[in-house]
Amino acid sequence: MGFLIRQMQLSDLEVAVSWAAQEGWNPGLYDVNSFYQTDPNGFFIGELDGRPVSCLSAVAYGETFGFIGFYIVHPEFRGQGYGWQTWQQGMNYLGDRNIGLDGVIAQQQNYCKSGFSLAYRNIRFQGALPQFQTNSNSLLKASEVSFNQLLTFDACFFPVPRPSFLQAWISQPGSIALVSCGEETLLGYGVIRPCQVGWKIGPLFALNESTADELFRSLTAHTNGEPCFLDVPEPNSAALNLARTYAMTPVFETARMYTKTPPDCQMDGIFGVTTFELG
């Protein structure tokens, strides 16, 4: 049979998620459906004589933007070219879109060879947080506000609107999605979800530090003292301060890279990246 690359079925994505867990990337317990619904054609698996040996996600967000993730080769088969072939398949699928990724620092030079340029670093913070007392009447469940309003707000901080992903993401089993509402507009929203280890907040988007803090405290109130993770873009000093205020410590970092000019997102409002796998 030899080596062949094909598009994943939903069940194949479970393999990619399990490999990501083995790499220490700590995926969410229920990420599979959210990821797959975003672009069912954008997930690739490489098989050698029928055995999975490589995987990659190359998710297309419309006609102008795409994001690479889950670039993994099974340890037994590294250094044999299977990853590179899978990579090329994903890149060809995304075509001329502006493509983003969150790559491990060690692979940054390899990504540069494929046309990517560094935009900034994202830093993962970890902490075991107390159950804060929260009593805010301005926070609602995401399901209690207009989805179109939430989608418009989200698109201020992400390169393009992502309705399929967002609808699935805020509805994940076990997750909490909260929105901060002003008198006439949204001020912020955040999602926390259970992961292989502890909980991850992502996204955490807010128009100001006080809103981000309020959402952070309310979201982490659901963690019962388990480890909590927040992925912070380094250029946002207010976001770094938020993580440090609650004694969270850096444990991992990625290089956010793009093939074209970095998208015009409101970086000062990104207090937590949604996910390293899909952007």
Side-chain angles (χ1 to χ4, degrees), residues 18 51 55 64 74 81 119 127 138 146 148 153 155-156 167 188 192 209:
S18 70
R51 178 182 175 181
C55 63
T64 61
H74 191 281
S138 64
S146 161
N148 285 337
F153 185 84
C156 295
Q167 185 67 73
I192 192 168
E209 294 178 51

Side-chain angles (χ1 to χ4, degrees), residues 71-85:
Y71 186 29
I72 308 172
V73 178
H74 191 281
E76 292 181 34
F77 299 94
R78 291 175 182 172
Q80 301 177 49
Y82 301 128
W84 174 243
Q85 293 179 63

Side-chain angles (χ1 to χ4, degrees), residues 39-53:
D39 179 11
N41 296 318
F43 295 87
F44 300 91
I45 191 163
E47 295 178 326
L48 183 63
D49 297 330
R51 178 182 175 181
V53 299

Side-chain angles (χ1 to χ4, degrees), residues 175-252:
S175 68
I176 307 294
L178 299 177
V179 176
S180 175
C181 299
E183 292 184 3
E184 298 181 356
T185 185
L186 300 186
L187 301 178
Y189 90 99
V191 179
I192 192 168
R193 71 194 198 280
C195 295
Q196 302 282 337
V197 177
W199 299 72
K200 277 186 194 172
I201 298 175
L204 180 58
F205 297 157
L207 297 185
N208 53 63
E209 294 178 51
S210 62
T211 298
D213 184 81
E214 179 184 42
L215 284 163
F216 179 87
R217 292 169 65 92
S218 295
L219 291 168
T220 56
H222 299 276
T223 62
N224 296 317
E226 296 181 60
C228 183
F229 300 87
L230 181 69
D231 298 330
V232 175
E234 190 176 39
N236 187 345
S237 58
L240 294 174
N241 289 337
L242 175 69
R244 291 164 179 158
T245 294
Y246 294 102
M248 302 181 81
T249 56
V251 293
F252 181 67

